Amino acid sequence: MGLTIHYDIAALCVIAIIILLFFRRKNIPALQNRIFFSLLIDSFFMVFFEVISVVYIKYPDAASRDVIWVVNCLYFTATYLFVFIACCYCIAVVGFFENARRYQKIRLRFFLYIPIVIGLVFAWISPLYDCTNGNFLGVFYLDNQNVYQRGSFLFYHSYILSVYYAILAVFFLSKYKKSLKTKNLNRIIIYFALCFSGAFVQLFMPNVLIQGFVISMATLVFEIAIRHPEDVIDINTGLLNNLAFINMNSRIVKAQNQYTCVGVVLDDVFFLTNTFGIAQFNKILALVSEKLLKEFPSYYLYYIGQGRFVLLIKKSTKLDVEK
């Protein structure tokens, strides 16, 4: 089997660069960015375990049979999780997780978790169908020489899973498209279309191993061209800015959710700037923001200009507000 891992090696390098870019940029402390980071980590491990599995295909005596089983199971786990996390990102980017009602979240969990759990079970029971028993019902199997082989119809379950989560993601993006700019919506759809197309190309051309490289390049373009966290971050304080506050308020009004808004105002801003200068005033802002971040790490914190800070508290109690 003439497998080549050049694309996968390049993909690992590209994903490592993207992770570095992610940490170098100021990211909004929002759910969608945490999911995007999870997508990066999962992509890295998906390609990493694919490289290891290819090494074991070329050198089946390099590890025990059990180790090769585990490596391939981990590869399929990362592959299944990629489409799951990608779908979650699309749902998060339109603000559904933050603004949905309780019954809507329960219903969504059912549609999200049941398919991925079934997929993971199929992957991890594959070692039970060992080819030495003449049984090939798993997602994959190892032949008598410990070489990986595609399994029965369960192997195609990963592609069925990809189609399912793609349809679910498109449904949420189209239903809540008003939460996104049309340009960004189209780019997100193109990004995931490229990722899924890479997977289907590898289905028909398994020796090329192009899936990881396509995903890495699409993610690099996505990180550079689409994600601009600095647009909603205040430079002086590192908190969310006025634009982010307006967008969040718009989401709250549309979803009719209950939040508590607490303001912190510095008195005599003009006196402070005129007396101590703008540079010194910016240092004061930085100290205040640092104190707020330390005291309220789980709240949404905004600086909306002219010495005004805002704490946005979801599902707050009287004790939270008094604190």
Side-chain angles (χ1 to χ4, degrees), residues 13 15 27 40 55 108 125 152-153 159 223 275 305 317 323:
C13 296
I15 295 173
N27 292 281
L40 291 178
V55 171
L108 176 62
I125 65 172
S152 63
F153 65 93
Y159 294 92
E223 173 68 17
T275 304
T317 63
K323 180 182 176 182

Side-chain angles (χ1 to χ4, degrees), residues 203-221:
L203 171 64
F204 298 103
M205 302 174 62
N207 293 347
V208 178
L209 301 178
I210 195 70
Q211 175 182 347
F213 183 72
V214 172
I215 290 174
S216 66
M217 293 306 298
T219 306
L220 180 62
V221 174

Side-chain angles (χ1 to χ4, degrees), residues 33-185:
N33 285 326
R34 293 196 292 270
I35 294 176
F36 183 75
F37 179 69
S38 300
L39 194 68
L40 291 178
I41 298 299
D42 181 77
S43 301
F44 182 86
F45 281 108
M46 180 177 65
V47 178
F48 174 77
F49 285 121
E50 185 174 48
V51 171
I52 300 300
S53 65
V54 171
V55 171
Y56 287 149
I57 289 174
K58 292 187 174 183
Y59 307 99
D61 297 330
S64 66
R65 190 176 183 86
D66 291 337
V67 171
I68 299 176
W69 276 118
V70 171
V71 168
N72 282 282
C73 284
L74 288 172
Y75 165 71
F76 277 99
T77 298
T79 302
Y80 291 161
L81 286 176
F82 178 84
V83 294
F84 168 75
I85 298 172
C87 180
C88 290
Y89 179 82
C90 292
I91 298 172
V93 82
V94 296
F96 184 84
F97 288 122
E98 295 173 344
N99 300 319
R101 303 182 187 277
R102 186 170 181 272
Y103 78 91
Q104 291 176 316
K105 291 182 179 180
I106 294 174
R107 186 172 58 185
L108 176 62
R109 288 192 187 104
F110 175 82
F111 288 107
L112 276 176
Y113 293 134
I114 297 299
I116 187 64
V117 169
I118 293 174
L120 294 176
V121 169
F122 283 163
W124 284 93
I125 65 172
S126 293
L128 300 178
Y129 298 101
D130 199 298
C131 72
T132 55
N133 299 325
N135 214 331
F136 309 108
L137 294 179
V139 175
F140 68 97
Y141 66 93
L142 302 181
D143 60 21
N144 293 324
Q145 284 74 43
N146 289 350
V147 176
Y148 162 89
Q149 302 291 343
R150 288 182 176 182
S152 63
F153 65 93
L154 287 182
F155 170 80
Y156 299 98
H157 176 263
S158 61
Y159 294 92
I160 297 173
L161 206 64
S162 298
V163 172
Y164 169 80
Y165 281 117
I167 293 172
L168 190 63
V170 170
F171 168 77
F172 277 93
L173 287 174
S174 59
K175 185 175 181 179
Y176 301 97
K177 60 184 178 182
K178 291 183 179 179
S179 301
L180 289 172
K181 295 180 181 178
T182 303
K183 180 173 65 175
N184 287 344
L185 175 63

Side-chain angles (χ1 to χ4, degrees), residues 279-312:
Q280 195 65 29
F281 178 69
N282 288 337
K283 291 182 179 179
I284 296 174
L285 292 178
L287 289 173
V288 174
S289 62
E290 184 180 347
K291 179 68 174 178
L292 291 174
L293 286 170
K294 184 178 180 180
E295 293 292 331
F296 310 104
S298 60
Y299 298 163
Y300 287 100
L301 298 171
Y302 301 84
Y303 177 69
I304 57 176
Q306 298 182 356
R308 296 172 297 174
F309 296 84
V310 178
L311 285 74
L312 208 57

Side-chain angles (χ1 to χ4, degrees), residues 233-272:
I233 296 290
D234 180 72
I235 298 175
N236 296 319
T237 63
L239 303 180
L240 297 170
N241 62 16
N242 192 40
L243 175 61
F245 183 62
I246 292 172
N247 291 338
M248 189 63 180
N249 281 336
S250 176
R251 286 185 175 183
I252 292 171
V253 171
K254 289 179 182 177
Q256 298 180 350
N257 285 341
Q258 186 175 5
Y259 282 79
T260 299
C261 187
V262 179
V264 177
V265 181
L266 298 181
D267 291 332
D268 295 327
V269 171
F270 293 107
F271 172 77
L272 291 173

